Amino acid sequence: MKRIFSHPKALRKVATHYCPGCGHGIVHRLIAEVVDELRIRQRVIAVAPVGCAVVAYHYWDFDGCEAAHGRALAVATGIKRFRPENIVFTYQGDGDLAAIGTAETIHAANRGENLTVIFINNAVYGMTGGQMAPTTLSGQKTSTTPSGRQVSLTGYPLKISELLAQLPAVRYVERVSVHSPQEVMRAKKAIRQAFINQIDNLGFSLVEVLSACPTYWYMSARQAMDWVRDVMSKEFPLGRIR
Amino acid sequence: MGRLAESKTLMSGNEAIGEGAIRAGCDFYAGYPITPQNELTAYMARRMAEQQRIFIQAESELSAINMVLGAAAAGARAMTSSSSPGISLKQEGISYLAGCQLPCVIVNIMRGGPGLGNIAPSQSDYFQATRGGGHGDYRCIVLAPDSVQEAHDLMMLSFELADRYRNPVILLGDGMLGQMMEPLKLAPFNSLKRGKSKQWALTGCLGRQPNVIKSFYMQEGQLEEFNRALQGKYKRIQMQQQRWEELYISDARVILVAYGTMARITRSVVRRLRQRGERVGFLRPISLWPFPQRAFRRIVERRPRANLLVIEMSYGQMVEDVRLAVEGRLRVEFLGRSGGGIPSQEEITRATARCRRR
């Protein structure tokens, strides 16, 4: 009998610390599946962020490195330049990649570093208790925008993927979501492409994943999925950006 | 003379440090422009390319030190260089490097502070270098050369110590040392097979369990246990790596203590006073951390009535370590200037005379 579904080798059989309905677990698994399918588990080095996914390296079964908040792409640059034969990716949230790490992100992309970036956009800081993120939607309530994000005071949701797509050295940018099985399949395809680009030495590839945070959106898991579909993906349209 | 001319080359301190790194087997350099260390970055840009090694001009000091962290985690001999304000920006990364127990070399060609200060030579980053600078209970090994030759030679040692202890090493110089030119005898190229012995490094988990480089310990008691292990390492370094130079201690009534550029000027004063028959001694810490306490304990035993005069291009930083080392048993005087001022030979001579009279 042909086996068509099993636990990915690259994903450890441990319980994660993520909240019910959180998108991190789904994306961790998609990465593990892609790593298995491309047979690169023994070449991969992950760079984890500071944020909810801070211990992501404990969930995958391959080499991993910590990075200070926002510095993942500088750390990944150091690893990849010294070990170009390895497959190096960063896994970063919106605060990490698009607020405190904006400079590292833009300059790694502008240098065309041959890296893969998995960018989790959930529109809040989850780890620290639901503060406003650079990607928080206008009017969205967070612990630091208690009456809703007011763009006149705090600016607009930052579309960093669209910004990065302007840079000539960037190979591939796509925004996906994991709010439905269909979108999960699309997300996996994009993640796979971002890894294949690195294997083929094509340069900087980034996949932005819209990911639910029911806990700090103050919703049920189901409501959160619907909110990604009906509200968040209107502000952050899905599809290939570059 | 002919032979001497053949075997030596004239180089600035910044370039000699760069060539020292090249010969020590530095695989990876990342830096960001700042005066007065720019010659070092430019030298590395040229030489690393010639050697087919990695040079990156980063977008910031933060990025440069974190690129070094990544390269070090992957097993490289990695370094960065900067000057005081840039070194302040690197402190977060240095704390992480210490917490991840990663070897690397950080060169600080000190200039005046606080703030933007100026670009004149200074020694006012002693506290930052020896006390940690970033957050957490950690130490960097700190080496302070006083000549172009020693700066070159200490780069070899810096990479060795960094690898041996899996710890950041700071080479602490100043703008004077970085800019001045002296004849230099080049060290031989280090022929070690790099990266081979680093079992902990990130290389991909081919044929082994995955490696993780981290400083994050959330389970109860884990971080305390980790800190105890770190402290054990620091104690070993303190036992094994105290380095200093001393002159004329055995009969000295006043012992002048200085490091780096300040030690050059001080040594000249001591030699001149000796020629006049004055019983003056000289002590130069080379390792600032670990501080050479052993040298001072010996002075306490051998010259219990001597006075110490500490001279710095700061308003008194190393002098605190001298006072801790002699535990109040010797009188310790201080002479210092900062913000571009350097104590002159005349000022040192007068301060020495005041010490002698006491």
Side-chain angles (χ1 to χ4, degrees):
Chain A
M1 203 160 51
K2 194 181 167 207
R3 177 180 288 217
I4 58 163
F5 189 81
S6 64
H7 190 91
K9 251 196 166 129
L11 195 67
R12 291 205 174 119
K13 288 185 177 170
V14 292
T16 70
H17 69 289
Y18 299 121
C19 306
C22 170
H24 278 305
I26 301 170
V27 183
H28 283 17
R29 180 177 172 117
L30 293 182
I31 291 169
E33 287 180 2
V34 166
V35 165
D36 280 0
E37 289 166 18
L38 298 176
R39 301 172 185 277
I40 52 174
R41 192 182 71 86
Q42 294 176 321
R43 289 168 68 195
V44 164
I45 300 172
V47 182
V50 170
C52 284
V54 64
V55 293
Y57 43 66
H58 288 326
Y59 301 144
W60 291 307
D61 200 21
F62 40 71
D63 278 11
C65 192
E66 126 186 326
H69 196 27
R71 317 288 172 233
L73 275 164
V75 172
T77 296
I79 298 171
K80 181 71 181 179
R81 290 283 191 108
F82 184 62
R83 295 202 178 275
E85 70 281 8
N86 284 94
I87 303 301
V88 183
F89 76 96
T90 69
Y91 186 99
Q92 301 175 261
D94 38 54
D96 196 86
L97 181 137
I100 195 166
T102 314
E104 284 78 1
T105 303
I106 288 179
H107 286 276
N110 195 49
R111 288 190 302 268
E113 297 292 342
N114 189 26
L115 294 168
T116 303
V117 181
I118 308 301
F119 165 37
I120 305 297
N121 176 1
N122 64 6
V124 283
Y125 284 77
M127 178 66 112
T128 45
Q131 293 86 353
M132 181 187 72
T135 50
T136 293
L137 269 56
S138 173
Q140 186 183 336
K141 286 186 181 174
T142 71
S143 72
T144 51
T145 54
S147 45
R149 181 173 189 172
Q150 235 181 305
V151 296
S152 60
L153 285 175
T154 59
Y156 291 86
L158 184 63
K159 295 189 175 68
I160 189 115
S161 292
E162 279 84 348
L163 275 174
L164 293 171
Q166 307 304 311
L167 304 174
V170 170
R171 175 71 189 192
Y172 173 65
V173 181
E174 180 151 357
R175 185 181 288 119
V176 297
S177 173
V178 288
H179 70 263
S180 72
Q182 193 187 17
E183 295 302 336
V184 169
M185 295 313 287
R186 285 202 184 114
K188 180 173 171 182
K189 207 168 149 238
I191 290 169
R192 189 183 161 89
Q193 188 61 50
F195 276 97
I196 287 173
N197 287 348
Q198 185 178 163
I199 293 166
D200 293 344
N201 283 311
L202 296 178
F204 192 88
S205 297
L206 179 143
V207 178
E208 173 176 344
V209 185
L210 304 188
S211 170
C213 179
T215 304
Y216 290 113
W217 294 354
Y218 311 105
M219 296 175 191
S220 70
R222 177 61 195 266
Q223 285 172 323
M225 300 300 160
D226 292 347
W227 194 77
V228 174
R229 183 192 63 208
D230 300 334
V231 181
M232 194 177 176
S233 63
K234 299 291 183 290
E235 181 69 36
F236 295 103
L238 303 183
R240 179 101 183 235
I241 303 170
R242 186 183 175 101
Chain B
M1 273 311 281
R3 203 177 136 16
L4 189 74
E6 268 167 32
S7 61
K8 290 204 174 186
T9 171
L10 190 66
M11 265 196 189
S12 75
N14 281 331
E15 291 169 329
I17 289 168
E19 191 55 34
I22 296 284
R23 285 164 189 256
C26 175
D27 303 293
F28 184 98
Y29 175 98
Y32 184 85
I34 185 168
T35 308
Q37 64 82 56
N38 290 314
E39 298 79 8
L40 174 49
T41 311
Y43 190 84
M44 293 306 271
R46 179 167 65 79
R47 288 287 283 146
M48 292 297 266
E50 281 171 7
Q51 297 282 319
Q52 293 174 322
R53 304 184 202 172
I54 304 148
F55 169 91
I56 306 180
Q57 180 175 331
E59 64 273 19
S60 69
E61 300 295 2
L62 300 177
S63 189
I65 192 75
N66 283 288
M67 287 174 182
V68 165
L69 185 145
R77 281 199 154 178
M79 73 170 284
T80 185
S81 65
S82 190
S83 179
S84 310
I87 295 291
S88 292
L89 283 169
K90 290 187 197 292
Q91 293 304 323
E92 174 197 52
I94 296 171
S95 169
Y96 277 73
L97 281 153
C100 291
Q101 298 205 76
L102 290 173
C104 71
V105 177
I106 300 145
V107 177
N108 180 3
I109 302 298
M110 289 182 282
R111 58 186 254 182
L116 203 49
N118 63 17
I119 58 169
S122 174
Q123 294 182 325
S124 48
D125 301 351
Y126 180 94
F127 283 153
Q128 185 193 52
T130 59
R131 265 52 180 176
H135 60 283
D137 270 317
Y138 76 91
R139 297 286 189 169
C140 295
I141 297 169
V142 184
L143 302 176
D146 80 333
S147 68
V148 169
Q149 183 70 59
E150 196 178 43
H152 180 77
D153 296 342
L154 285 183
M155 280 307 279
M156 313 292 283
L157 179 67
S158 295
F159 278 102
E160 272 177 49
L161 295 181
D163 277 352
R164 189 184 311 167
Y165 295 105
R166 287 185 62 183
N167 207 69
V169 175
I170 296 174
L171 188 87
L172 196 67
D174 62 69
M176 185 83 82
L177 188 72
Q179 300 288 325
M180 71 184 184
M181 295 181 89
E182 284 185 315
L184 174 69
K185 187 169 184 296
L186 292 168
F189 275 84
N190 186 328
S191 59
L192 90 168
K193 288 191 182 62
R194 290 188 289 279
K196 277 276 192 312
S197 59
K198 296 181 178 177
Q199 306 289 323
W200 46 265
L202 305 178
T203 58
C205 60
L206 183 63
R208 60 159 170 75
Q209 288 299 304
N211 284 341
V212 171
I213 299 287
K214 61 163 190 168
S215 63
F216 187 57
Y217 298 93
M218 278 296 272
Q219 273 166 25
E220 199 182 331
Q222 262 188 349
L223 183 60
E224 188 172 7
E225 193 184 315
F226 172 67
N227 266 285
R228 262 203 303 273
L230 268 188
Q231 293 304 316
K233 177 171 86 173
Y234 298 150
K235 200 145 274 167
R236 271 201 315 284
I237 297 172
Q238 279 179 308
M239 297 287 290
Q240 296 165 356
Q241 297 302 335
Q242 296 183 25
R243 289 162 199 273
W244 69 90
E245 175 200 346
E246 58 180 47
L247 285 172
Y248 317 121
I249 299 289
S250 58
D251 67 343
R253 285 185 175 157
V254 181
I255 297 166
L256 275 52
V257 184
Y259 73 95
T261 290
M262 202 61 248
R264 297 169 71 96
I265 302 168
T266 302
R267 193 195 287 106
S268 315
V269 173
V270 169
R271 290 223 161 99
R272 220 181 44 210
L273 292 175
R274 272 280 157 182
Q275 279 165 10
R276 296 195 332 219
E278 300 196 27
R279 287 160 64 182
V280 180
F282 174 72
L283 180 64
R284 176 174 72 96
I286 297 171
S287 61
L288 301 183
W289 196 88
F291 193 69
Q293 291 175 327
R294 216 170 282 146
F296 289 91
R297 301 234 165 96
R298 277 181 21 197
I299 291 172
V300 169
E301 286 161 20
R302 287 156 61 195
R303 305 298 303 153
R305 293 165 61 82
N307 291 332
L308 300 183
L309 172 62
V310 180
I311 306 147
E312 296 180 62
M313 284 145 61
S314 83
Y315 282 110
Q317 299 196 14
M318 183 178 72
V319 65
E320 293 194 1
D321 278 336
V322 174
R323 291 199 167 112
L324 284 168
V326 302
E327 295 175 316
R329 285 184 281 180
L330 299 181
R331 178 184 280 276
V332 179
E333 300 291 335
F334 176 72
L335 172 68
R337 290 175 63 182
S338 189
I342 301 175
S344 66
Q345 296 207 12
E346 294 69 34
E347 285 172 295
I348 297 168
T349 306
R350 282 200 298 275
T352 308
R354 282 200 299 277
C355 277
R356 202 172 39 233
R357 279 199 295 275
R358 286 213 171 83

